[in-house]
Amino acid sequence: MAIGERIHFFRTMRGMTQKYLGMALGFPEKSADVRLAQYENGSRTPKADVTAALAKVLDVSPKALDVPDIDSYTGLMHTLFTLEDRYGLEICECEDEVHLRVHIHKGRDAAELHRMLSAWGAVAAKLKAGEITKEEYDRWRYRYPELDTSGQWHKITPSQDLSNLLLADLKEHSEE
């Protein structure tokens, strides 16, 4: 999720209008909502000082607004929090282990993520069972979704002949 989407998420969660948040940041009343709209739609990116001020007004860490940096533990945690907000990721503890799971009933995005993770789990199970090699597993992961054979994520591109045939058929029916 980009910074603009995160700003929008936290602003609406706090019940603030764009104008209110913009004015709280010190923007003139006349342009406060326009400036916030530019940040939220991605046409403008806030500088570090504005991001820090946004975080303060929204009562969040600046890291919660940033594009995730999973190379740090804090960045990784905020990435997981974003996945919770957007895709219904949940944390639970079972038998002294911490688990992440997707609550598939938390919307379309959660259900889609659940299907994607299930496809990953199926390939990981094949690796564990010795049905595929580590190299095949890694190739699947690093070329995802291209090599996914679960049938859920393939981009189906018709052949040029089929496209031409469909186009000709449409033209024929539109002339009738």
Side-chain angles (χ1 to χ4, degrees):
M1 197 180 275
I3 189 168
E5 293 174 271
R6 297 301 291 162
I7 293 167
H8 175 79
F9 174 82
F10 287 116
R11 178 183 61 77
T12 56
M13 184 178 82
R14 299 281 189 242
M16 298 177 185
T17 64
Q18 288 177 331
K19 184 175 279 300
Y20 176 88
L21 181 54
M23 290 175 57
L25 294 172
F27 298 135
E29 182 178 358
K30 187 175 181 178
S31 62
D33 56 339
V34 173
R35 178 69 69 90
L36 256 294
Q38 290 172 333
Y39 292 150
E40 289 183 5
N41 71 27
S43 65
R44 193 174 188 153
T45 303
K47 291 183 170 49
D49 61 327
V50 175
T51 300
L54 277 162
K56 186 172 183 172
V57 173
L58 293 169
D59 192 29
V60 298
S61 164
K63 291 281 185 195
L65 297 175
D66 284 343
V67 174
D69 168 20
I70 60 170
D71 293 330
S72 73
Y73 290 118
T74 302
L76 179 59
M77 288 300 293
H78 282 285
T79 300
L80 294 171
F81 298 151
T82 300
L83 293 172
E84 177 183 28
D85 296 338
R86 176 96 187 239
Y87 298 102
L89 187 70
E90 294 179 340
I91 189 163
C92 58
E93 198 164 332
C94 178
E95 298 178 17
D96 296 325
E97 291 184 344
V98 175
H99 298 264
L100 297 173
R101 66 179 179 202
V102 178
H103 190 286
I104 63 171
H105 301 293
K106 287 206 174 183
R108 186 180 63 83
D109 289 338
E112 300 250 348
L113 178 60
H114 184 268
R115 284 192 288 275
M116 294 168 76
L117 292 174
S118 293
W120 178 21
V123 174
K126 286 182 181 182
L127 173 65
K128 188 173 183 178
E131 296 173 26
I132 61 173
T133 66
K134 175 74 165 114
E135 291 76 25
E136 290 170 313
Y137 173 73
D138 286 343
R139 187 166 189 265
W140 183 92
R141 291 187 310 140
Y142 301 141
R143 302 278 302 270
Y144 182 84
E146 179 187 346
L147 300 179
D148 180 20
T149 57
S150 69
Q152 299 177 55
W153 304 107
H154 289 297
K155 179 181 177 188
I156 299 172
T157 307
S159 69
Q160 189 62 50
D161 289 338
L162 179 58
S163 294
N164 292 340
L165 182 65
L166 290 170
L167 188 58
D169 190 48
L170 284 171
K171 283 182 182 177
E172 183 180 313
H173 287 321
S174 66
E175 293 172 357
E176 294 176 355

